[in-house]
Amino acid sequence: MTEKYFYPAIDRFKLLAAFLVIAIHTSPLTSLSPEADYILTRVLARTAVPFFFMVTGYFVLPKALEDRAYGFAYLKRIGLIYLVSVVLYLPVGIYAGHFKGAGIISVLKMIFLDGTFYHLWYLPALLLGFALLLLLLRALPFKAAGAVCVLLYLAGLFGDSYYGLIGEKTFVYTIYQGLFHIFEYTRNGLFYTPVFLLLGYAAARRRPSFALSIGALGVSFGFLLGEGILLKLMETQRHDSMYLFLLPVMYFLFSALLEDCTGEQRKTFPKDLPLYIYLLHPLFIILVRGGAKVTRLSFFVDNSLLHYLAVAVSTLAGALILTKLSTMLPKKNKAGKKTSAKSKTK
């Protein structure tokens, strides 16, 4: 017997995660306290993108492992979304000079590894990480595949938040310098994405009790906060996306949210709304700044909190309009369509 289960808390956190991404790119608390803004945007909000990866690992990856055609269809869908996004942001990127002086190799790196605009790195990272993890799980036992993903993440840490701990003029330092000629950050589909996809998949296989998840989340979150502050004080960060304690925080957070499970679908918001918010928000950052300049309402830029609210509200409105327009298009069955439902067999 096959039943459908829905996870309202997962859906709500997806929406929250989309707004946390906007916070990362607008720094809403800077006008009030740069220190508080760092905690919000460089530590707390770093749960957003891993959460999206875990949703894919939980809802999509198990079926992709059972059905190769489903996995290919999912990759095709993400590839199409990426292609549309690249075209959408191409004029902005050209105007901003992102491609000025870039050779064919640099353009290929942007397309396949770094993203052609600053938020689009997520899509090639998802494509690469998903394909890599599929291969690992088909070739290796679960624990061995997990060990590979963790090792890759640990290696990525030293190209990100722990970069300053590598001594200059060492062999390891030379290796990372070589890697940064291939890609801009270790926050990518090779070092960053696989482990969070795997954590989502692990939660689909087995997860701790709600009480244990909440307790462990509180402890690991405290360590994450301390880790983020300490690394900031030590000035070791080349970037600030990857933390050691982000792994347990994400696993226990996701496990706790899965407890809100029901066999009856609850009407919340359109399922693609968080995705549209993620994809559209840089356009509205540009529009808010341009609008503030034209109207001379500079407080919408000068005040970081008002700037964030203006971008968030306008992006939400734009995403809702796009959602409405998308419902008018002919409906087709798509891989990964039901990210708020999961089949369980008794």
Side-chain angles (χ1 to χ4, degrees):
M1 179 180 177
T2 301
E3 297 178 359
K4 292 179 181 177
Y5 289 83
F6 299 89
Y7 300 88
I10 293 290
D11 287 337
R12 287 193 292 269
F13 199 92
K14 283 169 60 180
L15 187 61
L16 173 61
F19 285 109
L20 285 176
V21 171
I22 298 178
I24 291 172
H25 295 146
T26 56
S27 298
L29 300 183
T30 301
S31 298
L32 303 174
S33 167
E35 294 77 15
D37 188 77
Y38 172 80
I39 297 298
L40 172 63
T41 62
R42 308 303 159 187
V43 182
L44 303 185
R46 290 307 185 188
T47 60
V49 173
F51 184 82
F52 290 133
F53 287 139
M54 289 187 69
V55 168
T56 300
Y58 186 85
F59 292 105
V60 181
L61 191 57
K63 191 167 183 179
L65 287 167
E66 296 174 1
D67 184 351
R68 290 178 182 270
Y70 183 87
F72 282 120
Y74 176 75
L75 289 171
K76 182 179 177 182
R77 175 175 179 259
I78 299 302
L80 181 60
I81 292 172
Y82 183 41
L83 177 60
V84 172
S85 301
V86 168
V87 173
L88 177 64
Y89 283 95
L90 186 59
V92 181
I94 293 173
Y95 178 78
H98 293 171
F99 302 97
K100 188 176 181 179
I104 184 65
I105 300 299
S106 297
V107 172
L108 290 175
K109 283 165 54 179
M110 281 190 276
I111 292 173
F112 292 105
L113 293 172
D114 298 325
T116 57
F117 211 69
Y118 61 81
H119 70 309
L120 293 182
W121 71 270
Y122 168 79
L123 294 169
L126 177 56
L127 289 168
L128 176 58
F130 190 86
L132 176 60
L133 188 54
L134 275 179
L135 293 175
L136 287 174
L137 289 172
R138 285 175 178 152
L140 300 172
F142 174 76
K143 290 184 178 179
V148 172
C149 292
V150 170
L151 288 174
L152 286 171
Y153 186 81
L154 292 176
L157 281 177
F158 287 94
D160 197 273
S161 290
Y162 285 77
Y163 181 71
L165 297 182
I166 302 175
E168 293 187 16
K169 299 181 180 179
T170 63
F171 177 68
V172 174
Y173 180 83
T174 302
I175 291 176
Y176 278 95
Q177 292 306 303
L179 290 175
F180 292 133
H181 280 91
I182 302 172
F183 40 72
E184 190 173 355
Y185 301 110
T186 52
R187 174 215 60 186
N188 57 34
L190 177 61
F191 296 102
Y192 181 79
T193 308
V195 72
F196 292 112
L197 290 170
L198 186 82
L199 287 177
Y201 179 64
R205 288 164 54 95
R206 185 179 180 181
R207 67 178 189 270
S209 67
F210 180 71
L212 177 58
S213 295
I214 291 296
L217 174 60
V219 172
S220 57
F221 184 78
F223 278 108
L224 173 63
L225 190 60
E227 180 184 18
I229 294 172
L230 181 61
L231 292 173
K232 176 67 172 177
L233 293 174
M234 293 173 62
E235 298 182 346
T236 64
Q237 296 168 302
R238 181 178 186 270
H239 198 244
D240 44 38
S241 291
M242 302 175 72
Y243 296 102
L244 182 62
F245 284 98
L246 187 58
L247 299 181
V249 164
M250 294 313 304
Y251 179 72
F252 292 116
L253 171 63
F254 199 83
S255 297
L257 293 173
L258 287 172
E259 290 296 317
D260 185 12
C261 173
T262 176
E264 181 180 352
Q265 186 173 15
R266 302 174 189 171
K267 186 176 181 181
T268 50
F269 50 83
K271 72 177 185 66
D272 285 330
L273 184 61
L275 174 63
Y276 292 153
I277 290 172
Y278 183 93
L279 294 177
L280 292 177
H281 77 272
L283 287 179
F284 285 94
I285 291 176
I286 295 169
L287 290 173
V288 167
R289 289 175 179 172
K293 185 176 181 180
V294 170
T295 60
R296 297 185 180 181
L297 299 176
S298 60
F299 52 83
F300 280 117
V301 174
D302 296 337
N303 185 292
S304 61
L305 185 56
L306 287 179
H307 179 55
Y308 169 76
L309 291 174
V311 172
V313 171
S314 58
T315 303
L316 177 60
L320 287 171
I321 292 171
L322 184 57
T323 299
K324 184 65 175 178
L325 292 174
S326 67
T327 61
M328 300 177 182
L329 299 176
K331 294 184 178 180
K332 295 181 180 180
N333 291 327
K334 295 179 180 180
K337 183 177 181 181
K338 298 178 180 179
T339 57
S340 61
K342 185 177 188 294
S343 295
K344 291 185 178 181
T345 304
K346 290 188 176 181

